[in-house]
Amino acid sequence: MLIKPIIVLIAFLASLTVFGYRLYGRFEHMRLGQPVGPFARWGDRIKAVVVFVLGQRRLFRFPTPGLAHFFIFWGFLLLFPTIAQAILEGIFPGFVLPILGTFGPLALLQDVIAVIVAVAVLYGLYLRVIAQPERYKGSHGAEGILVLTFILIIMLSLLLMNGLRRNLGEAPIEAAFWQPVSTAVGSLFVGLNEAMQRALYEVFYWVHLGVLLVFLTLLPGGKHFHIVTSVFNVFLQNLEARGKLPPAPQFGGVAGVSKVEQFTWRRMLDWYTCTECGRCQEVCPAYASGLPLSPKLLVMGLRAHLFERGTALQGARKNASLQAVLEKRLTGDVIADQVLWACTTCYACDQECPLFIEHIPPIVDMRRYLLTQQRADAMLMSALGNLRRYGNSFGKSDRQRAMWTGGLEPRIKDIRKEPAHTLWFVGDYASYSPALTEITQATARVFRQAGIDFGLLYDAERNAGNDARRVGEEGLFELLAAKNKAALDKCQYEEIVTTDPHSYNTLKHEYSFNGKARPVYHHTEVLDRAIASGRLPIRRQLGYTVTYHDPCYLGRYNGVYDAPRRVLNAIGCRVVEMPRNRDRSLCCGAGGGRIWMEEAGVKERPAENRIREALSLDGAQYFVVACPKDVTMYRDAVKTVGQERIIEIKDIIELVEEAL
Amino acid sequence: MDIVVPIKFVPDLVEEMEIGESGKALDRTFMRLIPSEQDDHALEQALLLKERHGGTVTVVTLDAGDVDETLFTAVANGADRAVKVRGEGFDKGINNHAASAVLQEALKDIPFDLILTGTQAVDDLDGSVGPLLAARLGLPYVGYITGIALEDGKVVARKEYPGGMVAEMEVALPAVLGIQAAEKPPRYVVTSLVLEAMKTATIEEREAGGADCSGAAGVTRVYLPQAAERARMLEGDANQVADALVALLKEHRLLS
Amino acid sequence: MLAAGRELADGLGGRLTALLLGHNTQELAATLGAADSVTYVDHAALADFTPDAYQRTIAGMIKEDPPRAVLIGHTSMGMDVACSVGIQLGVPLITSCRTIRVEDGTPRYVSVTCGGKVMVEGEIPGPTCLVTMVPGGYKPEAGRREGAPDPSTWLRTKIYELAPPTELNDLRVSLQRYVEPEAGDVDITRESILVSVGRGIQQQDNLKLAEALAAALGGAVSASRPIVDKGWLPTSRLVGKSGKAVKPRLYLALGISGAPEHMEGVPDCETLIAINTDERAPIFDAARYGAVADVLKLMPVLTEKIKQAKGG
């Protein structure tokens, strides 16, 4: 009679040992990483776990799979007592879990949820086997199917066990109505004699236990490790402002990351938590345009490399194959250069990831290293050379920065010489691009009509450095920021306004003003205020039907979605939303320094993809943008798509001026 | 192979050129000075040769003003030594005859096998520094070079002729070569490395005597060209300009 | 050059001698009729241009009989020679000269610098001065004299064959071989319509806009130096000093600034139209029509309209 308990115990211990061993192995690899911490703001962190883990909030961005996973997750939690019950009753025959094992309402919940989980799993299998959505491309499909099958078996075997046990009179809960499903399942076997039923019970028990214990050993090896790490990953998430990149690491005087152990252990935890769900890949504009970047594959690649390199580093004898692994270069062999350069830093991936895995910071870290090795295309290096020498990416003289003001009467205040309430930081594109001069001038006129007391830095302004930083030239960013700060320090103003979301982002989050910081606004926020307060009277209601494109650095990065829409409504425009709006807005493709890079490998420009999306809307006459680079990118795209007569690109300021 | 790269600072054509009060020279008040573009290529070519064959690269320049950053950047790019020669009147711009004499003096104690410099600079009026220096040093000179190979201790230089023709010339060392374009575009080195060079590298400073400007012609007048005929300008946005162009092409019977 | 020399010689009342160096090339002397005489030096070492050999020969000639001025072409060959001859002989040097005039018995030069943006004037110093000349100041016809050499002209044009100086042994620079330019698919010198692109097209990808425009016009795409240096187009498409000289009926200069080195390649075009975002670009001085516009925006629009106009 002791045989079964001994076998169960051995099996359980064996499984636990394998799980523990593999878990420890992963932990040891993580210890290769750089230190980081401490982690403060526990209150916010606990809240995040409640909302995003217990609440599964981000998962619902893909509604049906989200719902399915919600139930699988909660099913797992609610059914955990039954797992404990199964193991313990195997070792201690007749054991019943106190309270949880006999609580009727819980049993009812468990019964029902087991069915729901089974249905959810069938849906999951349907997705994997039949529907095969694009986002799964590159994920470990076999593992996914295996685990779903495991879960299904666990659910079904549980119900069968419960049902048979009831038939045998050994159900821990007396009243059958607390376990309606189990009872129904059990009723299928009522015709069999007791010995048969007991034998079947044993079979289902071993199936149940066996699959559970095998599943446990698999956890640390693949994407289901997230079952263990997800709570930690969400708890330890980056709580800094999104638009603030972490500081740049340096190793042996060389900037950036060139070896996987130069990442922090926290970054490695991110990779262990990746479920390969592909939602990041789904929303990535680079991936959609045919470039080789997939945020998901990036993370999976880093994870696999950490494992192989960690193993090789620990190998006692360095045989040839271990040596080959050690010689693999992180950038170049593991992650190709073009993958890293393809990123526009639009934040769609980091926004979408249900477990708060960050994709952009490691990309920037690796870019920093690539630049020290001059592994970037000639056009980018030329743009960086221009930024360093002239303070703008156009290679034009700094004295020409304010040429767009020519002809504006009266002359705009020079804020270096006299104080003004608002410092208007114009930005490179709005200042230097000939195609944008009119829009910049219109902005000045609208500001005047709104009674804003504003001034310019004129020649003292330099590129704010947002994209220089994201391209990986940290030193250049610091140089530009230092020059801007030196100019700003000498001026008197109460707030900074810019029309450029990139400048907005870095001025707001990455410039340290040592206590003299002033608020930074985007011009749509300022217009919104001015219209609402009546200082900017709207004389005409335009009556257009428009669609609004949320710029990445204004929307996703800084949460400014409503102000531009309010402005559009106030001037009498009806806003129809594109399917991908607000934090799902598709990047135009210019960010992350991409506007300075060659376009080799792009099959469909993100901007063209976006225009087609806008064209699919009913009757939108104008595609409204609020970023100078967007104007440039979308005007080009509309021409290439060939629909200039159907939809026209307008900067929001053009419509506002029309309404005055 | 030890290479010396003389760098000349010239007016940046991105800025507007302005005539000084005397009417005999450019106004240097707002002038931005940058290293001559072909000298950047010469440095790049030197660094490429160093990477392939070893040796050292020394950068030399006359102190025309704000030259330190360029020298430190050259060191960050891979140059081994940076030498700055100060002298009276250098900041007002001296002609190439004088500059080459100064360089000849400065190179007396710098050993070299090869001198690479840009084949010409935008403000050259009395020849170019490269060939003048070669003549003063009594060394052979070949200009308009777009590629250099080192074969069996001999230098083979690709010289460009009009029409796209190229001649491969074998040149005995020591020699001076005038670079038209390097085999790769001049490299960009990250700012942090330049800043580091500023902290760790030293620029060797020398004093030169005065500048002997004889050898060039005198200048009586410097002016901005007023073209006798400027183009007839078409106005409007892209659409309007395109329309005007189509009309013109029709008029000139160029649309068959 | 011969035209400038003619003007100088006539202005100062002197003699214009053309110096021809080579090996078995005396027939070329017949084309130099604008000069008063031709001095021809023949030596095996002068068969192909090498800096050392040509320098020594020319220096030797000048030393023997110093003229008032020596005019040399501002070319890849000329510049290799001019500076060293000047230093060797202690003779002053003026480069990038476009025109020479004689005013009140004083020879004066006008040179061009700073990418065509600045002109410099002065006196040509005596007793001897070297001057390198860039094209553009004179029409080629001014340096030629008509007709095949006939007996009466022979009297005016004597060809001297001098014994070459002896130091042409032990040269330090020798020619290994010539490399022909890659046979491009297109010979731009034969095209009557050229769509020429410069830095203004910004990205290699935008070349296809130029190709489309060229196709619509029935022409070909050519380029200025920066484009060829980046490898976006082969050297066979290069227009300019180190590339080809072209003479199309229509030359569309898109995003080209118009630096002298490029303009040398399109000296005499019937209709040159320039598009550039910089209204101060020198090309607008050479163009017949121009517009300050963004070529990236203009190209597709223009292509479309041309197709329509042609009845597409």
Side-chain angles (χ1 to χ4, degrees):
Chain A
M1 282 325 292
L2 278 176
I3 302 225
K4 179 176 166 188
I6 290 172
I7 300 177
V8 173
L9 183 62
I10 293 172
F12 176 57
L13 288 175
S15 164
L16 208 57
T17 309
V18 173
F19 170 74
Y21 175 74
R22 297 182 92 193
L23 181 67
Y24 180 70
R26 289 290 183 272
F27 183 70
E28 278 291 284
H29 290 163
M30 235 168 81
R31 288 213 317 181
L32 292 167
Q34 304 302 306
V36 68
F39 294 90
R41 293 169 61 184
W42 277 44
D44 292 328
R45 296 183 182 283
I46 291 172
K47 200 169 117 187
V49 170
V50 168
V51 170
F52 295 105
V53 179
L54 299 181
Q56 301 269 292
R57 168 114 77 105
R58 280 192 174 177
L59 276 146
F60 288 100
R61 292 166 69 96
F62 283 62
T64 320
L67 191 65
H69 187 274
F70 179 85
F71 284 118
I72 295 177
F73 171 76
W74 277 103
F76 180 76
L77 286 189
L78 288 168
L79 291 168
F80 189 77
T82 67
I83 296 173
Q85 166 74 34
I87 296 172
L88 290 168
E89 81 179 26
I91 302 173
F92 306 108
F95 174 85
V96 171
L97 214 50
I99 306 167
L100 293 173
T102 51
F103 190 48
L106 180 61
L108 176 61
L109 200 53
Q110 288 170 337
D111 236 34
V112 168
I113 213 145
V115 176
I116 298 178
V117 170
V119 170
V121 162
L122 286 172
Y123 173 73
L125 283 168
Y126 156 75
L127 275 185
R128 293 244 170 224
V129 176
I130 298 172
Q132 294 191 8
E134 174 81 29
R135 62 190 172 99
Y136 287 157
K137 208 157 144 193
S139 308
H140 292 110
E143 188 190 330
I145 294 173
L146 181 70
V147 169
L148 283 166
T149 312
F150 276 1
I151 299 174
L152 188 62
I153 294 175
I154 292 171
M155 295 300 111
L156 295 178
S157 58
L158 177 69
L159 292 169
L160 286 160
M161 276 167 53
N162 285 351
L164 284 165
R165 204 204 319 239
R166 182 162 290 285
N167 291 354
L168 296 166
E170 287 165 20
I173 293 170
E174 293 226 7
F177 65 79
W178 288 123
Q179 289 181 310
V181 183
S182 300
T183 311
V185 168
S187 67
L188 294 171
F189 301 94
V190 154
L192 300 171
N193 66 43
E194 191 186 308
M196 265 308 266
Q197 291 203 43
R198 193 167 289 283
L200 278 174
Y201 173 81
E202 286 297 315
V203 168
F204 290 131
Y205 175 81
W206 284 108
V207 167
H208 186 83
L209 186 72
V211 169
L212 269 170
L213 294 180
V214 168
F215 190 14
L216 183 63
T217 65
L218 286 183
L219 282 189
K223 61 201 187 95
H224 288 88
F225 199 19
H226 77 273
I227 293 175
V228 175
T229 64
S230 56
V231 173
F232 298 103
N233 216 57
V234 175
F235 186 79
L236 296 174
Q237 69 178 252
N238 179 12
L239 286 178
E240 294 279 356
R242 290 179 173 187
K244 185 174 175 181
L245 271 182
Q250 258 209 12
F251 298 96
V254 179
V257 166
S258 61
K259 298 199 178 74
V260 78
E261 60 265 30
Q262 290 169 347
F263 283 114
T264 65
W265 60 260
R266 177 64 191 83
R267 189 66 58 215
M268 297 170 176
L269 184 65
D270 259 355
W271 310 335
Y272 286 146
T273 310
C274 176
T275 68
E276 303 176 20
C277 70
R279 288 157 185 242
C280 55
Q281 182 177 296
E282 186 82 353
V283 294
C284 175
Y287 186 79
S289 74
L291 288 171
L293 169 65
S294 152
K296 175 188 81 182
L297 294 175
L298 177 80
V299 169
M300 285 169 64
L302 289 167
R303 175 172 64 193
H305 180 63
L306 174 62
F307 179 74
E308 68 176 355
R309 189 172 166 84
T311 309
L313 283 170
Q314 288 161 342
R317 286 161 293 121
K318 301 271 187 284
N319 61 34
S321 65
L322 285 188
Q323 201 53 41
V325 166
L326 286 175
E327 275 161 28
K328 256 194 200 177
R329 300 172 307 159
L330 174 66
T331 49
D333 295 327
V334 179
I335 311 284
D337 288 17
Q338 327 113 282
V339 168
L340 295 170
W341 290 120
C343 179
T344 69
T345 70
C346 73
Y347 207 81
C349 53
D350 289 2
Q351 164 73 66
E352 202 65 36
C353 181
L355 292 172
F356 289 81
I357 295 169
E358 290 185 300
H359 307 78
I360 295 175
I363 289 176
V364 175
D365 274 337
M366 287 187 275
R367 281 181 171 186
R368 286 173 179 145
Y369 176 72
L370 288 184
L371 275 187
T372 64
Q373 309 299 305
Q374 284 133 21
R375 278 154 62 181
D377 67 50
M379 208 178 133
L380 173 61
M381 308 239 259
S382 168
L384 291 174
N386 282 336
L387 273 173
R388 187 154 73 193
R389 179 178 277 171
Y390 299 107
N392 66 78
S393 58
F394 288 78
K396 293 192 182 166
S397 163
D398 45 314
R399 289 200 278 158
Q400 286 178 32
R401 190 173 271 274
M403 252 171 68
W404 65 268
T405 61
L408 282 178
E409 291 295 328
R411 195 167 174 275
I412 300 181
K413 245 193 211 178
D414 188 334
I415 208 167
R416 298 171 294 178
K417 302 196 180 117
E418 47 178 321
H421 182 265
T422 302
L423 187 146
W424 179 11
F425 191 95
V426 188
D428 274 7
Y429 268 78
S431 304
Y432 284 107
S433 174
L436 297 172
T437 307
E438 281 170 30
I439 294 177
T440 317
Q441 288 172 339
T443 311
R445 289 192 294 266
V446 172
F447 279 177
R448 285 210 159 119
Q449 292 225 30
I452 300 176
D453 170 31
F454 65 97
L456 304 175
L457 286 166
Y458 280 89
D459 304 347
E461 193 184 294
R462 295 282 177 276
N463 184 298
N466 188 69
D467 287 25
R469 188 154 201 232
R470 276 135 186 91
V471 143
E473 238 286 42
E474 192 76 4
L476 180 59
F477 164 72
E478 277 161 21
L479 185 71
L480 292 166
K483 290 198 174 140
N484 278 322
K485 272 189 276 191
L488 289 167
D489 272 346
K490 299 199 189 96
C491 303
Q492 281 177 284
Y493 55 93
E494 298 304 316
E495 61 180 25
I496 298 178
V497 163
T498 181
T499 63
D500 174 29
H502 292 237
S503 307
Y504 173 78
N505 182 68
T506 195
L507 285 167
K508 193 165 177 171
H509 301 297
E510 297 179 316
Y511 275 52
S512 52
F513 288 97
N514 294 329
K516 288 188 291 173
R518 297 276 183 273
V520 181
Y521 297 113
H522 187 251
H523 72 305
T524 52
E525 295 179 283
V526 162
L527 290 174
D528 180 37
R529 263 196 336 236
I531 293 175
S533 70
R535 275 182 298 123
L536 183 62
I538 308 295
R539 287 188 195 95
R540 287 181 52 202
Q541 292 291 299
L542 299 175
Y544 299 143
T545 303
V546 307
T547 185
Y548 174 72
H549 169 77
D550 292 283
C552 305
Y553 277 90
L554 188 62
R556 263 192 297 275
Y557 270 99
N558 287 290
V560 179
Y561 299 113
D562 294 315
R565 288 173 169 80
R566 282 195 294 263
V567 169
L568 285 169
N569 285 328
I571 59 176
C573 289
R574 184 171 75 96
V575 179
V576 293
E577 300 285 359
M578 286 180 274
R580 292 173 294 190
N581 62 72
R582 287 173 184 261
D583 64 14
R584 275 278 180 85
S585 179
L586 180 73
C587 174
C588 74
R594 292 281 315 159
I595 203 167
W596 299 325
M597 297 183 206
E598 281 153 29
E599 272 187 307
V602 170
K603 295 188 187 64
E604 190 202 25
R605 294 197 184 118
E608 288 164 29
N609 186 319
R610 190 65 161 155
I611 292 295
R612 282 184 236 273
E613 186 180 352
L615 290 171
S616 73
L617 295 173
D618 233 350
Q621 302 159 270
Y622 295 112
F623 183 95
V624 182
V625 295
C627 167
K629 287 188 262 300
D630 276 343
V631 175
T632 313
M633 299 297 286
Y634 287 116
R635 279 189 183 161
D636 267 347
V638 146
K639 266 192 218 116
T640 323
V641 169
Q643 303 283 15
E644 280 167 280
R645 266 165 228 102
I646 301 182
I647 195 165
E648 209 184 307
I649 313 298
K650 284 269 185 195
D651 188 292
I652 195 169
I653 207 81
E654 295 180 278
L655 292 176
V656 170
E657 197 182 26
E658 225 186 292
L660 294 181
Chain B
M1 187 158 68
D2 295 326
I3 307 177
V4 168
V5 180
I7 293 187
K8 183 184 184 198
F9 277 79
V10 300
D12 188 349
L13 298 184
V14 148
E15 307 283 352
E16 305 237 13
M17 297 289 111
E18 277 157 38
I19 308 298
E21 267 182 35
S22 66
K24 291 191 184 173
L26 289 174
D27 182 356
R28 293 177 92 91
T29 337
F30 292 112
M31 190 184 276
R32 185 204 302 267
L33 291 173
I34 54 170
S36 167
E37 195 180 331
Q38 292 188 349
D39 288 348
D40 277 340
H41 280 263
L43 175 61
E44 178 62 29
Q45 187 66 53
L47 293 170
L48 289 171
L49 287 171
K50 177 184 168 182
E51 277 165 16
R52 280 182 224 152
H53 308 290
T56 64
V57 172
T58 303
V59 172
V60 186
T61 190
L62 274 60
D63 189 2
D66 245 322
V67 305
D68 284 9
E69 199 183 303
T70 303
L71 290 173
F72 284 123
T73 307
V75 172
N77 275 351
D80 300 278
R81 283 170 75 181
V83 178
K84 178 166 77 171
V85 185
R86 291 209 304 251
E88 213 184 284
F90 285 5
D91 55 338
K92 295 200 183 45
I94 58 172
N95 67 32
N96 290 336
H97 277 73
S100 54
V102 170
L103 285 169
Q104 178 192 15
E105 191 61 38
L107 288 177
K108 283 207 165 107
D109 65 345
I110 301 179
F112 61 86
D113 301 303
L114 182 61
I115 297 178
L116 296 183
T117 190
T119 204
Q120 58 185 0
V122 290
D123 65 347
D124 283 345
L125 267 178
D126 62 330
S128 304
V129 172
L132 289 172
L133 179 60
R136 289 193 192 277
L137 292 171
L139 296 178
Y141 171 82
V142 191
Y144 293 80
I145 303 297
T146 54
I148 300 178
L150 197 60
E151 290 163 23
D152 314 314
K154 294 211 192 79
V155 163
V156 175
R158 288 172 60 100
K159 179 182 171 63
E160 274 201 2
Y161 286 132
M165 180 83 103
V166 167
E168 283 183 8
M169 302 246 188
E170 192 184 286
V171 185
L173 294 180
V176 179
L177 294 176
I179 303 294
Q180 165 87 8
E183 288 157 37
K184 283 196 208 149
R187 62 194 63 186
Y188 175 83
V189 67
V190 287
T191 308
S192 54
L193 290 174
V194 175
L195 294 173
E196 201 184 297
M198 286 183 177
K199 287 191 208 119
T200 56
T202 34
I203 297 177
E204 299 167 41
E205 301 201 5
R206 315 262 180 104
E207 292 290 335
D212 172 16
C213 291
S214 66
V219 172
T220 53
R221 184 163 86 106
V222 168
Y223 59 96
L224 305 177
Q226 308 301 328
E229 282 172 44
R230 199 175 142 83
R232 200 183 96 196
M233 300 301 282
L234 308 169
E235 304 289 331
D237 65 9
N239 257 305
Q240 294 164 315
V241 168
D243 281 331
L245 284 171
V246 170
L248 277 173
L249 293 174
K250 275 195 187 145
E251 195 187 304
H252 289 272
R253 284 203 284 271
L254 287 161
L255 282 185
S256 51
Chain C
M1 264 198 329
L2 280 173
R6 188 74 267 161
E7 203 172 309
L8 187 59
D10 292 342
L12 291 177
R15 216 182 71 220
L16 176 63
T17 305
L19 187 59
L20 176 66
L21 283 71
H23 191 49
N24 298 328
T25 51
Q26 47 265 63
E27 59 275 10
L28 290 176
T31 62
L32 303 171
D36 296 315
S37 61
V38 177
T39 304
Y40 173 58
V41 184
D42 189 309
H43 192 286
L46 297 175
D48 294 300
F49 173 81
T50 55
D52 238 1
Y54 275 58
Q55 269 164 33
R56 295 185 197 182
T57 310
I58 294 173
M61 312 274 353
I62 296 173
K63 201 159 168 188
E64 231 180 76
D65 188 12
R68 177 63 178 85
V70 181
L71 307 182
I72 304 178
H74 191 108
T75 62
S76 178
M77 293 158 276
M79 284 307 284
D80 275 5
V81 161
C83 296
S84 64
V85 169
I87 295 282
Q88 256 191 287
L89 301 178
V91 168
L93 171 62
I94 299 169
T95 53
S96 301
C97 175
R98 191 174 263 176
T99 53
I100 294 178
R101 312 190 297 278
V102 180
E103 263 172 34
D104 306 318
T106 314
R108 309 181 71 84
Y109 71 90
V110 177
S111 283
V112 54
T113 68
C114 295
K117 289 188 179 183
V118 177
M119 309 295 288
V120 180
E121 257 182 33
E123 287 181 20
I124 300 179
T128 302
C129 186
L130 287 165
V131 182
T132 66
M133 307 230 33
V134 292
Y138 302 90
K139 294 234 177 297
E141 298 79 58
R144 293 194 199 119
R145 290 289 177 267
E146 273 195 17
D150 68 45
S152 59
T153 65
W154 281 108
L155 291 169
R156 280 183 58 204
T157 308
K158 284 198 202 144
I159 301 174
Y160 292 86
E161 293 199 17
L162 297 181
T166 51
E167 313 95 64
L168 281 186
N169 308 309
D170 185 34
L171 291 170
R172 298 166 302 173
V173 182
S174 61
L175 174 69
Q176 275 199 347
R177 64 191 183 110
Y178 286 113
V179 176
E180 295 280 337
E182 310 119 45
D185 43 344
V186 165
D187 182 358
I188 55 175
T189 59
R190 289 212 156 84
E191 297 284 335
S192 64
I193 295 182
L194 284 175
V195 173
S196 205
V197 293
R199 270 195 237 257
I201 65 156
Q202 287 175 34
Q203 286 211 23
Q204 182 170 15
D205 221 36
N206 295 323
L207 274 178
K208 59 179 193 281
L209 297 174
E211 305 272 0
L213 179 56
L217 283 166
V221 174
S222 58
S224 65
R225 180 110 218 168
I227 303 298
V228 169
D229 271 350
K230 286 190 226 255
W232 294 357
L233 280 175
T235 337
S236 54
R237 305 286 188 121
L238 177 59
V239 172
K241 185 200 204 81
S242 3
K244 303 208 174 123
V246 294
K247 209 173 172 340
R249 289 185 58 213
L250 169 67
Y251 191 80
L252 259 182
L254 304 177
I256 294 177
S257 64
E261 292 77 32
H262 179 77
M263 298 316 291
E264 267 184 51
V266 55
D268 214 4
C269 174
E270 234 182 83
T271 309
L272 201 160
I273 304 182
I275 312 286
N276 199 300
T277 49
D278 178 9
E279 60 183 333
R280 297 161 310 147
I283 194 143
F284 289 122
D285 296 329
R288 193 157 173 196
Y289 304 103
V292 178
D294 182 355
V295 299
L296 297 180
K297 295 178 72 171
L298 185 62
M299 278 193 282
V301 174
L302 186 56
T303 308
E304 200 46 51
K305 289 188 191 279
I306 287 171
K307 282 192 197 158
Q308 284 172 14
K310 282 195 174 181

